[in-house]
Amino acid sequence: MKGVFTILEGAGKGTSKPLTSALMIVGRSKNADVQVDDPLVSRRHLEIRVESDAVFVENKSPQGSMLNGKPLTGVVSLNPGDVVEVGTTKMRFEEAPASATPERRAVVQEMEAEMDGTRLASPEDIAAAQRKEDKGDETRAMADDGTRMLNPNELPNWVGQEKIEKKVAARSDAPKIVIAAIALVLVIGAVVWYFATHRGTAGATLTYKDNLYDFSIDRPLDWSKTADDTGLMGFGLGSDSGNNWSRVNIYTDKNPDFATTGLTDGFNRYKDVLKKRYSGADLQGSRKININGVTVVFYQFDTSALSGIGIYLLNNDTRIVVECTGARAVFKQDVPRDQAILKSFQLGEYVTQQYIDFPLPDEGMQQLALSNPSGLASQVDAAIASGKNLFNGSDVSPDNLYKAIQQFRSAAQLSMAPPQRLPAYDTAAEGLAEATKKFNRELDEQRFQITSALKEGDKRRAYWEANKMMQMVPDKTNPAYQEAYEILQTLPVPKQ
């Protein structure tokens, strides 16, 4: 398995290091494969072993290492999205598809960047920008360069010019009619050419709304419905038997189990559905992203005949999957349009997504489940008991709800380590769902208090409300913590 480490915090933030050797060292040494310039990192701090089907890490430093916020002990396999912390440096592991060609990898990387809301400028973009810069902004007011537009009354011979214009207007209108007819023909031709060549690009769309599942998504104007007897809803263009077709398919389902299914675990199981639906499907990559306030798993896949991208999400007892597929021959040119379709996805105006999530069990947990099942069960029970105590005492400390979520999440993760998940999973998942809902409600209430204080001009109260929101989320990498921190930076510190 190939992978890459991306530095999230610390020296070299934003840089990535591909895992290219069977054994790699993370440390402060100049000879380390992944050099980390951090005084709290040992010269040989962490070992990475890359095998065909997994990547393993092992702490080698007395300073210790962290994995997803917990001490790293023994040899542990990494899952995509895991965060390893050495000293003050945080690195995220991502799986790199081994079967992708260089061209395909470039397309996948660009798609992921676009879905996250950013995009690297192409050479064509840069050239166009340079041409615009050289030419200047033709729409900008002339007053910017020190000149001004004259009043018509200031112009010499203005009356004479006006008489000339009236004489011209008095001539026959025949030439104007001919010119207008030619222009109309050109416009119609341009429209026909546009729809023939742009294959439903953004700007020519209709919104499809699903009232039962309460969501909407845009689809190209010139696509036809492709619903069938199975309940599949979709739209498409072209014949599946050709090399110039595209589809967007929407798969929806309701099941009470979805409310207690982790997003990561649910998508992991959905991979089997994907491979059955598309024979020989090869998953090129996946990651969690946010689209219009909804957390989804964005993924890409290939078969010998088609390519596709999609989003997978859970909302309480509902599962929604949207997949854009097309013939491989036209995949690359259709990527921007397919991304626009997925990025248009929205839940209903008054719907707030409700879901749970937790990491899949690592190899250490799976080994513990086989070697000491009673010990694992005891850990699960202890985590559930701790989560319940923290939940019941949520009014004692602002961060108790957050800590309860972590305990229930740990219990759910551990309970899935055995070949057959433990019966305690249901209790852990239900506790996680309840704690998450309450935590999100209290976060929303805290946001309301901050906004209310700011509208009233009470900066002192706004400061302390934002401060409380930070205390509710002790994890500095959490978006809610960062949101509150950014608000604090705009407010003066109240005098004691």
Side-chain angles (χ1 to χ4, degrees):
M1 175 188 291
K2 294 185 178 181
V4 62
F5 269 124
T6 300
I7 298 179
L8 303 178
E9 291 185 14
K13 180 179 178 180
T15 59
S16 298
K17 178 67 177 179
L19 306 182
T20 55
S21 303
L23 177 63
M24 301 182 70
I25 303 300
V26 176
R28 192 161 39 88
S29 171
K30 293 182 179 180
N31 296 323
D33 299 286
V34 182
Q35 187 179 4
V36 178
D37 186 13
D38 185 337
L40 298 179
V41 173
S42 303
R43 294 173 60 81
R44 187 185 180 92
H45 200 108
L46 193 72
E47 276 191 4
I48 306 172
R49 288 198 285 275
V50 182
E51 299 186 2
S52 60
D53 58 348
V55 173
F56 300 91
V57 291
E58 182 179 7
N59 175 64
K60 292 293 183 180
S61 170
Q63 304 292 336
S65 304
M66 304 287 283
L67 176 62
N68 296 327
K70 296 181 180 180
L72 173 61
T73 57
V75 180
V76 179
S77 65
L78 293 179
N79 293 312
D82 282 348
V83 175
V84 178
E85 185 174 353
V86 291
T88 60
T89 302
K90 289 185 177 181
M91 301 178 294
R92 181 177 62 217
F93 169 73
E94 295 291 351
E95 182 180 338
S99 59
T101 63
E103 180 181 4
R104 172 61 177 158
R105 282 197 298 271
V107 172
V108 168
Q109 289 169 358
E110 184 176 357
M111 278 196 295
E112 291 183 345
E114 291 257 359
M115 291 301 295
D116 274 340
T118 60
R119 181 174 68 87
L120 295 176
S122 67
E124 293 79 6
D125 294 333
I126 296 172
Q130 289 174 341
R131 287 196 298 271
K132 183 176 181 180
E133 184 177 349
D134 293 340
K135 188 176 181 181
D137 189 347
E138 297 176 345
T139 64
R140 193 168 59 182
M142 292 181 66
D144 286 354
D145 61 6
T147 63
R148 68 185 178 87
M149 297 184 69
L150 291 175
N151 186 294
N153 295 328
E154 298 174 0
L155 294 175
N157 304 320
W158 178 255
V159 175
Q161 293 293 329
E162 188 178 31
K163 290 180 180 179
I164 292 173
E165 289 179 3
K166 288 182 178 179
K167 289 179 180 179
V168 172
R171 293 175 183 174
S172 173
D173 289 336
K176 291 184 178 180
I177 296 174
V178 173
I179 292 172
I182 294 174
L184 180 60
V185 171
L186 291 175
V187 169
I188 293 174
V191 171
V192 172
W193 171 85
Y194 179 86
F195 283 104
T197 58
H198 284 66
R199 295 168 48 79
T201 51
T205 61
L206 285 177
T207 299
Y208 165 74
K209 292 186 177 182
D210 189 298
N211 295 324
L212 176 61
Y213 291 88
D214 208 353
F215 71 89
S216 65
I217 193 165
D218 293 346
R219 55 94 168 176
L221 184 65
D222 55 340
W223 284 18
S224 303
K225 287 186 178 181
T226 57
D228 59 24
D229 295 337
T230 66
L232 167 69
M233 186 64 204
F235 305 90
L237 177 78
S239 172
D240 292 359
S241 60
N243 292 321
N244 193 24
W245 60 271
S246 296
R247 298 281 184 276
V248 54
N249 291 325
I250 305 168
Y251 304 91
T252 52
D253 195 12
K254 282 186 179 289
N255 190 316
D257 290 343
F258 291 146
T260 53
T261 298
L263 182 66
T264 300
D265 176 46
F267 178 72
N268 191 54
R269 285 186 271 174
Y270 178 74
K271 292 176 185 177
D272 294 332
V273 177
L274 188 70
K275 292 178 180 179
K276 290 179 181 178
R277 181 177 297 145
Y278 306 103
S279 179
D282 181 19
L283 189 68
Q284 295 293 324
S286 62
R287 65 188 302 179
K288 280 196 296 186
I289 64 172
N290 189 284
I291 297 178
N292 299 318
V294 181
T295 300
V296 306
V297 178
F298 168 69
Y299 57 97
Q300 313 100 39
F301 60 96
D302 281 333
T303 73
S304 59
L306 62 83
S307 295
I309 58 176
I311 54 173
Y312 173 100
L313 67 124
L314 296 174
N315 181 31
N316 204 356
D317 63 348
T318 296
R319 179 179 68 187
I320 303 173
V321 178
V322 183
E323 287 174 352
C324 295
T325 57
R328 293 197 66 169
V330 296
F331 169 75
K332 189 173 181 180
Q333 73 180 64
D334 289 344
V335 164
R337 181 209 59 209
D338 292 347
Q339 287 178 333
I341 292 172
L342 296 182
K343 291 170 75 172
S344 72
F345 180 90
Q346 293 190 41
L347 288 176
E349 183 178 0
Y350 302 106
V351 177
T352 300
Q353 184 186 20
Q354 297 179 7
Y355 74 101
I356 63 172
D357 199 18
F358 50 86
L360 297 177
D362 58 38
E363 186 177 356
M365 296 175 181
Q366 292 172 342
Q367 291 177 350
L368 177 63
L370 295 175
S371 62
N372 188 5
S374 60
L376 178 80
S378 296
Q379 288 189 33
V380 172
D381 292 340
I384 291 175
S386 177
K388 288 181 177 180
N389 289 334
L390 288 164
F391 181 85
N392 293 330
S394 58
D395 57 343
V396 176
S397 177
D399 62 352
N400 271 2
L401 264 182
Y402 182 88
K403 291 178 179 178
I405 289 173
Q406 305 312 308
Q407 290 297 315
F408 285 127
R409 183 174 289 163
S410 176
Q413 182 185 22
L414 285 167
S415 63
M416 291 187 63
Q420 298 293 326
R421 72 183 189 186
L422 299 178
Y425 171 84
D426 290 338
T427 304
E430 288 168 2
L432 178 56
E434 186 176 6
T436 300
K437 289 178 183 178
K438 185 175 181 180
F439 179 70
N440 288 336
R441 284 197 303 268
E442 295 198 1
L443 272 183
D444 286 340
E445 172 62 23
Q446 204 59 31
R447 291 187 181 99
F448 173 80
Q449 294 299 333
I450 295 170
T451 303
S452 176
L454 289 173
K455 286 183 177 179
E456 295 171 3
D458 190 344
K459 294 184 178 181
R460 178 183 179 86
R461 183 165 74 89
Y463 180 92
W464 291 117
E465 295 292 359
N467 187 276
K468 180 181 177 181
M469 184 170 170
M470 286 176 58
Q471 293 178 39
M472 292 171 62
V473 193
D475 179 6
K476 294 182 180 180
T477 65
N478 189 286
Y481 178 96
Q482 296 172 358
E483 176 187 347
Y485 179 78
E486 289 176 1
I487 294 172
L488 275 183
Q489 299 309 298
T490 67
L491 299 171
V493 178
K495 294 180 181 180
Q496 299 295 331

